[in-house]
Amino acid sequence: MNTPPYLHRYFKKLYPIRPSWRAVRLLCYGLIALLLCTWGLYHRTQTILSRQLDQLAVQSLPSDGPDPTLNIRLSRAKGWPFGAWRELSGVSFHTHLNGADVVGATATLILGGNWLDWARTITTQTKLPLRMPQSTILRLVRNGESLTLRLNKTRLLISKSMMPCPALTARCHNHTMPLYRAYFHIAQLEIAASHLPYTVTLSRPTGSIRFAPQSLVRPDPALQDRALLSASITAERLSYPDTMLKEFDITHLRTQFALLPNLYSAASHTPSQTAQPNLLLRLRLHELSATFRPLAASEQNTPPPHLSLGGTLYVPSFSGVISVSLTNWQSPLHLLIQSQWFQQNVPMSLRSLCHELMTNPRMETLATRPLTVSIPLDHGVPPGLSSSSTRLHSLAEHLRKLDPTP
């Protein structure tokens, strides 16, 4: 039976191009070759992951004491054909740094990634792409004080390299020092410490950390200007249920800081309340800034205040001097003066001084300028402010210098 001409023309328009069997065979052969290549690359990468897994504790966990320990309950190879990774279940570790015990645990740790992750790792010369899709706990304990971090949905790129000693007199093994770098992205970070009454929560912190371990028990004078740890971190939002801070939406956080060994000597330091020989570290705060948006509705459409801090503090007492710069400061200062905390903890004389400052006519001309002041700190608070004493005479003297009255 012959096909009618009109049906022949219809099917010719519907399927104008018929793929040849040769093209189909070539496409199938190409797919098979691609799968075979990825299969071989997958097994090769899994072999590399196995070797790196054996050295994971040494490569990723710095220690100045016994070798760090890493416990893994279960390891499974996954990823083909889209990548190569190891899914580690029931992971915990323990290491020791300068008299502090550092422990951590996570339910799942993914070592490796897809082929794009591996290409990025090779081009940036980093190692061990790590993902922790579930909650991870890190805890540091030293002399009865503790610091606990809870990380949710964490992604890390960790590398270890060796750098030359900064000076020939430095006590370095084989004239080199280890240097650890970590680039991270965390969905949410919770920070709890012994001296904090509440938990600090950071949303989407991102940044990098550079760690060059050295002894703090026997500090090396040749390394006094070499940062033990430096970091650059940004976060979208900070939450802290304190009486004062809960009145603000704190956003656009940014910090850059460095921790250096504190080498005390009578020639270079003068004994004072802010510099003592038993302190171990110097915190050089290059920047700590955030935008404070009042949660209360405002009738005026004014930009939100922005706070910036900088200075040098001695750790762990957090004593030193910091500089504070505040833009668009009138609204938060009004809220502070009217707050219940200010009324209960600040002496009447200082409250009167603040009211006089805010009602002074010259304040209108100063409103467009940033408010900048240097404040000494003793154990993290200005002198005279503590839980047992609310006399703020030292702080009052500093505020009197801001009086715009000629």
Side-chain angles (χ1 to χ4, degrees):
M1 180 178 179
N2 296 328
T3 304
Y6 69 92
L7 288 179
H8 179 74
R9 290 192 300 268
Y10 172 78
F11 284 109
K12 187 174 181 181
K13 292 180 180 180
L14 188 62
Y15 304 104
I17 299 177
R18 293 184 180 181
S20 64
W21 285 110
R22 182 179 180 183
V24 173
R25 286 196 299 269
L26 289 176
L27 180 62
C28 292
Y29 292 155
L31 290 175
I32 293 174
L34 179 61
L35 290 176
L36 290 176
C37 290
T38 57
W39 179 254
L41 184 60
Y42 169 79
H43 279 279
R44 174 61 179 170
T45 309
Q46 288 292 346
T47 302
I48 296 175
L49 286 175
S50 298
R51 290 199 299 264
Q52 291 187 346
L53 192 59
D54 295 335
Q55 299 293 324
L56 181 60
V58 177
Q59 290 287 335
S60 302
L61 300 175
S63 176
D64 58 6
D67 290 338
T69 59
L70 178 67
N71 299 317
I72 302 173
R73 181 174 54 84
L74 181 63
S75 174
R76 289 175 292 188
K78 290 186 174 183
W80 185 79
F82 305 106
W85 60 80
R86 286 292 182 95
E87 185 177 282
L88 313 178
S89 302
V91 181
S92 62
F93 72 86
H94 175 261
T95 186
H96 188 85
L97 282 174
N98 288 303
D101 288 311
V102 184
V103 296
T106 184
T108 304
L109 188 150
I110 299 176
L111 175 64
N114 56 41
W115 300 128
L116 183 60
D117 291 333
W118 281 108
R120 188 182 299 111
T121 298
I122 295 173
T123 55
T124 57
Q125 296 182 351
T126 56
K127 296 181 180 179
L128 302 176
L130 301 174
R131 286 179 292 158
M132 289 166 278
Q134 301 181 32
S135 178
T136 302
I137 300 295
L138 300 177
R139 187 175 178 85
L140 185 147
V141 180
R142 186 178 188 274
N143 296 333
E145 301 288 333
S146 64
L147 174 66
T148 304
L149 307 178
R150 180 188 292 272
L151 304 85
N152 293 321
K153 296 182 180 179
T154 305
R155 183 180 179 87
L156 290 172
L157 284 174
I158 301 176
S159 66
K160 177 186 177 182
S161 60
M162 304 301 293
M163 63 178 181
C165 276
L168 297 178
T169 58
R171 297 191 296 265
C172 300
H173 181 67
N174 292 332
H175 303 288
T176 58
M177 293 178 59
L179 175 63
Y180 297 85
R181 289 188 178 93
Y183 305 89
F184 62 90
H185 182 277
I186 306 171
Q188 181 174 300
L189 172 62
E190 300 177 5
I191 305 173
S194 302
H195 58 279
L196 289 178
Y198 306 103
T199 299
V200 180
T201 303
L202 294 175
S203 299
R204 300 189 181 279
T206 304
S208 61
I209 296 177
R210 182 180 181 272
F211 180 57
Q214 54 179 288
S215 175
L216 298 179
V217 179
R218 297 174 57 246
D220 191 345
L223 303 178
Q224 60 180 334
D225 294 325
R226 175 73 62 171
L228 174 73
L229 183 145
S230 59
S232 175
I233 303 172
T234 60
E236 291 184 1
R237 179 171 279 101
L238 181 144
S239 301
Y240 187 71
D242 182 74
T243 305
M244 295 175 55
L245 296 182
K246 69 180 182 180
E247 303 294 334
F248 298 92
D249 182 19
I250 307 174
T251 59
H252 302 95
L253 279 86
R254 179 179 177 84
T255 181
Q256 291 182 341
F257 65 88
L259 276 174
L260 297 91
N262 176 32
L263 300 179
Y264 178 84
S265 65
S268 59
H269 294 277
T270 301
S272 65
Q273 294 181 351
T274 60
Q276 301 178 10
N278 59 343
L279 301 182
L280 299 177
L281 291 171
R282 288 176 294 154
L283 173 61
R284 186 177 294 168
L285 186 61
H286 300 288
E287 178 187 2
L288 176 58
S289 62
T291 299
F292 288 73
R293 191 181 302 273
L295 294 177
S298 178
E299 297 180 358
Q300 297 180 352
N301 188 16
T302 58
H306 188 80
L307 179 68
S308 299
L309 304 177
T312 301
L313 300 175
Y314 293 90
V315 179
S317 71
F318 288 95
S319 300
V321 178
I322 63 169
S323 61
V324 182
S325 178
L326 181 64
T327 60
N328 307 315
W329 47 269
Q330 281 193 318
S331 176
L333 199 55
H334 275 296
L335 292 176
L336 174 62
I337 294 175
Q338 297 171 3
S339 66
Q340 184 179 2
W341 177 91
F342 190 85
Q343 301 298 327
Q344 292 179 351
N345 294 276
V346 177
M348 178 63 71
S349 59
L350 183 55
R351 287 190 306 220
S352 300
L353 174 62
C354 291
H355 283 291
E356 292 176 4
L357 289 173
M358 294 303 297
T359 56
N360 193 290
R362 287 196 61 191
M363 279 297 177
E364 296 182 1
T365 61
L366 299 176
T368 57
R369 303 178 184 178
L371 179 64
T372 304
V373 62
S374 295
I375 301 177
L377 295 181
D378 185 7
H379 290 81
V381 295
L385 177 61
S386 64
S387 58
S388 59
S389 174
T390 57
R391 303 295 294 172
L392 301 178
H393 299 300
S394 299
L395 183 59
E397 292 301 322
H398 285 278
L399 288 177
R400 289 184 193 278
K401 299 177 181 179
L402 301 176
D403 192 348
T405 304

